[in-house]
């Protein structure tokens, strides 16, 4: 295998990687209105993050991350995609 070839696998099949999805424009507007925040006030995720790359996220997008939680069942987080 040459150095230009990469081994690819679905990172979301790993048990420690939570589900990531890109929000629609309407979902983002609703989220920002509901929590009275601006996009830049959300926690950040870099565009080169393997999960962001895997779902095709671009800078300016907002991602929903859904994790399993032993106390809450499911925990939902939001991330603002930034350059890098």
């Amino acid at each position: 295998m040459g150095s230009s070839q990469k081994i690819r696998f679905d990172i979301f099949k790993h048990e420690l990687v939570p589900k990531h999805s890109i929000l629609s424009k309407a979902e983002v507007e609703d989220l920002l209105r509901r929590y009275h925040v601006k996009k830049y006030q959300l926690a950040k995720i870099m565009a080169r993050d393997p999960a962001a790359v895997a779902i095709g996220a671009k800078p300016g997008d907002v991602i929903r991350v859904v994790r399993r939680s032993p106390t809450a069942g499911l925990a939902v987080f939001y991330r603002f995609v930034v350059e890098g």
Side-chain angles (χ1 to χ4, degrees), residues 1 23 76 82:
M1 182 182 315
L23 272 64
V76 181
V82 296

Side-chain angles (χ1 to χ4, degrees), residues 9-74:
F9 60 95
D10 184 354
I11 64 170
F12 296 110
K13 291 191 182 217
H14 192 283
E15 66 184 39
L16 297 178
V17 179
K19 180 178 177 177
H20 289 61
S21 57
I22 301 171
L23 272 64
S24 69
K25 185 175 179 177
E27 289 173 317
V28 171
E29 289 171 2
D30 182 56
L31 171 75
L32 300 178
R33 186 173 36 254
R34 186 175 346 128
Y35 293 110
H36 306 287
V37 296
K38 304 285 186 201
K39 277 186 187 182
Y40 67 86
Q41 292 174 304
L42 297 171
K44 316 272 186 301
I45 185 170
M46 296 183 107
R48 71 172 183 246
D49 182 282
V53 171
I55 63 172
K58 305 285 185 240
D61 287 342
V62 176
I63 296 175
R64 177 187 300 118
V65 181
V66 181
R67 296 184 182 134
R68 294 186 191 277
S69 166
T71 54
L74 289 180

